[in-house]
């Protein structure tokens, strides 16, 4: 298997949006591994940010540091599914600028 064929996605999202995110990922068959789908892991983290002038924050006040609990969702995807996966995530994500990271997996999955 080509080393660049798989990516690991990390998505930060409010806990109340986990089921909506799961459905969005299922709609584009992301998180499918072998005979299983909906394959991902999540952990609780604390996010921090400061909305700047012009922002429309989901949570927080312009100019003030904000901290809140979030989930970090991690999953593997095929590189060719990246665009449709990002679009599906953005379609349900409540943040003005979602935090989504894509990391190449050396050696595949």
């Amino acid at each position: 298997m080509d080393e660049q064929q798989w990516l690991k996605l990390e998505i930060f999202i409010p806990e109340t949006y986990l089921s909506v995110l799961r459905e969005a990922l299922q709609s584009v068959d992301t998180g499918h591994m072998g005979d299983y789908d909906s394959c991902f892991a999540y952990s609780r983290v604390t996010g921090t940010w400061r909305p700047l002038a012009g922002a429309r924050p989901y949570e927080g006040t312009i100019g003030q540091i904000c901290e809140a609990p979030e989930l970090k969702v991690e999953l593997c995807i095929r590189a060719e599914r990246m665009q449709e996966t990002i679009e599906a995530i953005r379609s349900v994500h409540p943040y003005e600028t979602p935090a989504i990271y894509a990391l190449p997996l050396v050696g595949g999955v």
Side-chain angles (χ1 to χ4, degrees), residues 1-63:
M1 182 175 296
D2 180 37
E3 290 183 4
Q4 297 301 313
Q5 189 174 8
W6 290 89
L7 303 170
K8 175 187 173 190
L9 287 187
E10 297 179 351
I11 307 155
F12 293 83
I13 195 160
E15 188 168 355
T16 56
Y17 279 79
L18 182 62
S19 62
V20 175
L21 177 63
R22 179 184 290 120
E23 290 173 14
L25 295 173
Q26 288 171 336
S27 76
V28 292
D29 199 30
T30 298
H32 192 134
M33 299 177 76
D35 292 334
Y36 299 86
D37 74 357
S38 303
C39 299
F40 62 82
Y42 63 89
S43 53
R44 288 175 173 79
V45 297
T46 300
T48 183
W49 61 93
R50 181 173 64 171
L52 302 175
R56 291 169 293 148
Y58 168 78
E59 188 173 347
T61 303
I62 302 294

Side-chain angles (χ1 to χ4, degrees), residues 91-108:
S91 75
V92 300
H93 206 294
Y95 296 169
E96 184 177 9
T97 306
I100 305 167
Y101 304 107
L103 306 138
L105 294 177
V106 177

